[in-house]
Amino acid sequence: MIAAMVTACASIMIAAMAYWLNHQGETRRSLRKARIDWVSSQLKDLYGPLLVLTETNEKAWNEYHRLYILPADSGPAGIPLTEPEEARWRTWVEAVFAPTAQKMREIITARGDLIIGGEMPPVVLDFCAHAATYDALLANWDKADPSKSTLIRHPGNRFLSYVRESYGSLKAEQALLLKAARERV
């Protein structure tokens, strides 16, 4: 009789322990999968498109600057643009810079919940403010200030660096998470 009770208790303890261990394993797998899904969504829905648009805009700006903007020491600062220069600048703003900035702002606005960290980085807010000023510039181009530029300046390399670094760190985390998931299978 005692042997039967010991066997029954041992069986119950083994079953309970197996259930608990299985539950813990399932919980860890579920949390790992949720983290993989979250990081993948950050890459696919926010940082991936943002990186492509940011890099594209950077290349376009660098080429425009290389071809059409005089070096700082080549002449007096503040020379007004000639009519052909102004027409070219307007074309680039309307066809390249403003639409790209507006797409980036839309992505950030729509998927801001995927931003890394607990709050919106100031450089992202600075960029969105810059992008918003294109709306006013384009709506009032003929009456705009002679410089025909946005009211709020682009944050420059700080924004590009933020997007590149964020994308890179998420890709590295994704690779580690996927590697760990494959090793556990």
Side-chain angles (χ1 to χ4, degrees):
M1 177 72 115
I2 292 178
M5 282 187 78
V6 168
T7 303
C9 286
S11 295
I12 291 171
M13 285 181 59
I14 290 170
M17 189 174 253
Y19 171 80
W20 183 80
L21 289 172
N22 186 47
H23 176 71
Q24 291 298 313
E26 285 299 318
T27 300
R28 280 192 301 276
R29 276 188 289 282
S30 177
L31 290 173
R32 231 182 354 263
K33 184 181 179 335
R35 183 64 189 162
I36 290 169
D37 291 347
W38 177 254
V39 170
S40 295
S41 183
Q42 286 178 297
L43 286 165
K44 178 177 70 84
D45 298 328
L46 179 65
Y47 289 100
L50 205 53
L51 180 66
V52 170
L53 290 168
T54 303
E55 292 286 358
T56 301
N57 202 53
E58 183 70 10
K59 287 184 188 315
W61 168 251
N62 287 338
E63 192 62 13
Y64 179 87
H65 192 272
R66 184 182 73 77
L67 291 173
Y68 304 120
I69 297 180
L70 295 173
D73 59 353
S74 66
I79 297 175
L81 297 176
T82 64
E83 270 189 48
E85 289 170 334
E86 187 174 321
R88 181 176 44 240
W89 173 241
R90 183 176 185 157
T91 298
W92 277 76
V93 167
E94 290 176 343
V96 180
F97 302 131
T100 304
Q102 289 165 338
K103 284 178 192 169
M104 288 188 277
R105 186 181 72 184
E106 288 168 10
I107 290 168
I108 292 166
T109 303
R111 298 314 319 243
D113 61 314
L114 297 173
I115 288 284
I116 296 171
E119 54 188 60
M120 190 66 66
V123 71
V124 173
L125 295 174
D126 291 345
F127 173 79
C128 288
H130 163 75
T133 63
Y134 274 121
D135 297 339
L137 176 65
L138 295 174
N140 196 26
W141 186 274
D142 294 326
K143 295 178 185 131
D145 182 272
S147 69
K148 306 284 195 291
S149 65
T150 58
L151 183 61
I152 298 172
R153 294 186 57 82
H154 188 285
N157 285 335
R158 293 181 307 120
F159 183 67
L160 179 60
S161 294
Y162 168 78
V163 173
R164 283 178 178 162
E165 290 167 13
S166 298
Y167 181 85
S169 68
L170 286 170
K171 282 301 282 184
E173 182 179 357
Q174 183 188 48
L176 287 173
L177 290 167
L178 292 172
K179 181 182 177 192
R182 281 190 299 272
E183 289 173 354
R184 294 185 201 303
V185 174

